[in-house]
Amino acid sequence: MPAVPDASSSAIGRALLILGDQWALRILQRAFLTRTRRFADWRDQLGMSESVLAGRIRELVTAELLVPAPYREGGRTRHEYRLTPQAVELWSMLVAIWAWEREWVEHPADPPDLLHNRCGACVVPQFGCWSCGRAPVTARETRTTRTGEETFASVAAAPRLHRRTVRADTAYDRLSYYPETLEILGDRWSTVVLAAAFLGVRRFVDFQAELGAAPSVLAQRLRRFGELGVLGAPEDGSRGDYRLTTKGMAFFPVLSFLVHWAQRWYGAGQPAALTIWHQECGAVLAPMFRCPSCHLPVLRDEITFKIP
């Protein structure tokens, strides 16, 4: 079964099918952070079963995020898996996840620092607008327009690739994403619930109409988001308004980079399903990072994670 549905699906839906999975995110993160390329190294670092790992690698290859490269070892030809140019562009989304975790997720030990090699400072990059160069930019300083109503419908219609695997009791690993993060981004339904909240959806019935989710699935995700402090759930237990908290609003850079990446790589020949505008300059928001120390743009080849 292919990991990416056909072109009739929305670009954002296609991206969520491959990235809305905790194991896919962890595999890609290790490829960026520790330059992991070999099957045995992913297996040992992440504690994955070989069957699950093999399945995810196949999906990432099909999605053109990993490419196999042969090498010789012990007289045999084996394969390692390298990031494609398409995957490399996910670096900004992965940094945005790290920045959100650093600010909003309680962790038992310090996470890796991010060094901006250009100025030598350890920083948390500021999210900004490349069109005008301003940073920081918050979700409240943007607006979103849509070209249709099928933004997330393909997520519901697409074949299910594998069982939901997000686990709240995942063992602590300071180099990996935290369980709380994976409950938001490591499951495609959770991610589209949060994205819909950014579009202004607030009532249970409207979430259901927007997403096409089963009531039990939607109720579970909304309840958990309330427990995590991402959505302000109704205090009386009713299915009333669910509003983004400050913590939830702070996740905007992650979704912004995800939408931008999805429409660049999966939206060829299609009008953008979502367009995010920076209200101050009036231009389409081209998401970027800026260094708070030297005020220069943060580029992929100018950063290094300092791993403890």
Side-chain angles (χ1 to χ4, degrees), residues 9-13 144-154 199 210 259 262-263 267 270-276:
S9 301
S10 72
I12 297 170
T144 303
T145 58
R146 309 174 65 175
T147 57
E149 299 300 320
E150 300 302 319
T151 305
F152 304 116
S154 61
L199 289 175
E210 174 75 42
V259 168
Q263 295 184 157
Q270 304 175 14
L274 295 178
T275 302
I276 303 173

Coordinates of all heavy atoms in Angstrom, one line a residue, residues 9-13 144-154 199 210 259 262-263 267 270-276:
S9 N -6.0 13.9 -3.5 CA -6.0 14.4 -2.1 C -5.4 15.8 -1.9 O -4.6 16.2 -2.8 CB -5.2 13.4 -1.2 OG -5.7 12.1 -1.3
S10 N -5.8 16.5 -0.9 CA -5.2 17.8 -0.6 C -3.7 17.6 -0.3 O -3.3 16.6 0.3 CB -6.0 18.5 0.5 OG -5.7 17.9 1.7
A11 N -3.0 18.7 -0.6 CA -1.5 18.6 -0.2 C -1.3 18.5 1.2 O -0.4 17.7 1.7 CB -0.9 19.9 -0.7
I12 N -2.1 19.2 2.1 CA -2.0 19.0 3.5 C -2.3 17.6 4.0 O -1.6 17.0 4.8 CB -2.8 20.1 4.2 CG1 -2.3 21.5 3.8 CG2 -2.7 19.9 5.7 CD1 -3.2 22.6 4.3
G13 N -3.4 17.1 3.4 CA -3.8 15.7 3.8 C -2.7 14.7 3.4 O -2.4 13.8 4.2
T144 N -5.9 33.5 7.9 CA -5.9 32.4 7.0 C -7.1 32.4 6.1 O -8.2 32.6 6.5 CB -5.8 31.1 7.7 OG1 -4.7 31.1 8.6 CG2 -5.7 29.9 6.7
T145 N -6.9 32.3 4.8 CA -8.0 32.1 3.8 C -7.9 30.8 3.2 O -6.9 30.1 3.1 CB -7.9 33.2 2.7 OG1 -6.6 33.1 2.0 CG2 -8.0 34.6 3.3
R146 N -9.1 30.3 2.6 CA -9.2 29.0 2.1 C -9.7 29.1 0.7 O -10.5 30.0 0.3 CB -10.1 28.1 2.9 CG -9.8 28.2 4.4 CD -10.8 27.4 5.2 NE -10.8 26.0 4.9 CZ -11.5 25.1 5.6 NH1 -12.3 25.5 6.6 NH2 -11.5 23.9 5.2
T147 N -9.4 28.1 -0.1 CA -9.9 28.0 -1.5 C -11.0 26.9 -1.7 O -11.6 26.8 -2.7 CB -8.8 27.7 -2.5 OG1 -8.1 26.5 -2.1 CG2 -7.8 28.9 -2.5
G148 N -11.2 26.2 -0.6 CA -12.2 25.1 -0.7 C -12.4 24.5 0.6 O -11.9 24.9 1.6
E149 N -13.3 23.5 0.7 CA -13.7 22.9 1.9 C -13.1 21.5 2.1 O -13.4 20.8 3.1 CB -15.2 22.8 2.0 CG -16.0 24.1 1.9 CD -15.6 25.1 3.1 OE1 -15.4 24.6 4.2 OE2 -15.4 26.3 2.8
E150 N -12.2 21.2 1.2 CA -11.6 19.8 1.3 C -10.2 19.8 1.9 O -9.5 18.8 1.7 CB -11.6 19.2 -0.1 CG -12.9 19.1 -0.8 CD -13.9 18.3 0.0 OE1 -13.5 17.2 0.5 OE2 -15.1 18.7 0.1
T151 N -9.9 20.8 2.7 CA -8.5 20.8 3.3 C -8.1 19.6 4.0 O -7.0 19.1 3.9 CB -8.4 22.1 4.2 OG1 -8.8 23.2 3.5 CG2 -7.0 22.2 4.7
F152 N -9.0 19.1 4.8 CA -8.7 17.9 5.7 C -9.5 16.7 5.3 O -9.4 15.6 5.9 CB -8.9 18.3 7.2 CG -8.2 19.5 7.6 CD1 -8.8 20.6 8.0 CD2 -6.8 19.5 7.6 CE1 -8.2 21.7 8.4 CE2 -6.1 20.6 8.0 CZ -6.8 21.7 8.4
A153 N -10.4 16.8 4.4 CA -11.3 15.7 4.1 C -10.6 14.5 3.6 O -10.9 13.3 3.9 CB -12.3 16.1 3.0
S154 N -9.4 14.7 2.9 CA -8.7 13.5 2.4 C -8.1 12.7 3.5 O -7.8 11.5 3.4 CB -7.6 14.0 1.5 OG -6.7 14.8 2.1
L199 N -8.0 27.5 12.5 CA -8.9 28.1 11.5 C -10.2 28.7 12.1 O -11.0 29.3 11.4 CB -9.4 27.0 10.5 CG -8.3 26.6 9.5 CD1 -8.8 25.4 8.6 CD2 -7.8 27.7 8.6
E210 N -16.1 19.7 9.9 CA -14.9 20.1 9.2 C -14.0 18.9 8.9 O -13.4 18.8 7.8 CB -14.1 21.1 10.0 CG -12.7 21.5 9.5 CD -12.8 22.5 8.3 OE1 -13.6 23.4 8.4 OE2 -12.0 22.3 7.4
V259 N 2.4 23.4 6.7 CA 1.5 23.8 5.6 C 2.3 24.3 4.4 O 2.1 23.9 3.2 CB 0.5 24.9 6.0 CG1 -0.2 25.5 4.8 CG2 -0.5 24.3 7.0
A262 N 4.0 21.3 2.8 CA 3.1 20.4 2.1 C 2.7 21.0 0.7 O 2.6 20.3 -0.3 CB 1.9 20.2 2.9
Q263 N 2.4 22.3 0.7 CA 1.9 22.9 -0.5 C 3.1 23.1 -1.5 O 2.8 23.1 -2.7 CB 1.2 24.2 -0.2 CG -0.1 24.0 0.6 CD -0.9 25.2 1.0 OE1 -2.1 25.0 1.2 NE2 -0.3 26.3 1.0
G267 N 1.6 20.2 -3.6 CA 0.5 21.0 -4.2 C 0.7 21.5 -5.6 O 0.1 22.5 -6.0
Q270 N -2.0 22.7 -8.2 CA -3.3 22.9 -7.4 C -3.3 24.3 -6.7 O -2.2 24.8 -6.3 CB -3.4 21.9 -6.4 CG -3.4 20.4 -6.9 CD -3.4 19.4 -5.7 OE1 -3.8 19.8 -4.6 NE2 -3.1 18.2 -6.0
P271 N -4.4 25.0 -6.6 CA -4.4 26.2 -5.8 C -4.2 25.8 -4.4 O -4.6 24.8 -3.9 CB -5.9 26.7 -6.0 CG -6.7 25.5 -6.4 CD -5.7 24.6 -7.2
A272 N -3.6 26.7 -3.6 CA -3.3 26.5 -2.2 C -4.6 26.3 -1.5 O -5.5 27.2 -1.5 CB -2.4 27.6 -1.7
A273 N -4.7 25.2 -0.7 CA -5.9 25.0 0.1 C -6.0 26.0 1.2 O -7.1 26.4 1.5 CB -5.9 23.6 0.6
L274 N -4.9 26.3 1.8 CA -4.8 27.3 2.8 C -3.8 28.4 2.5 O -2.7 28.0 2.0 CB -4.4 26.7 4.2 CG -5.4 25.7 4.8 CD1 -4.8 25.2 6.1 CD2 -6.7 26.4 5.1
T275 N -4.1 29.6 2.7 CA -3.1 30.7 2.5 C -3.0 31.5 3.8 O -4.0 32.0 4.3 CB -3.4 31.6 1.3 OG1 -3.5 30.9 0.1 CG2 -2.3 32.7 1.2
I276 N -1.8 31.6 4.4 CA -1.6 32.3 5.6 C -1.0 33.7 5.3 O 0.0 33.8 4.6 CB -0.7 31.5 6.6 CG1 -1.3 30.1 6.9 CG2 -0.5 32.3 7.9 CD1 -0.3 29.3 7.7

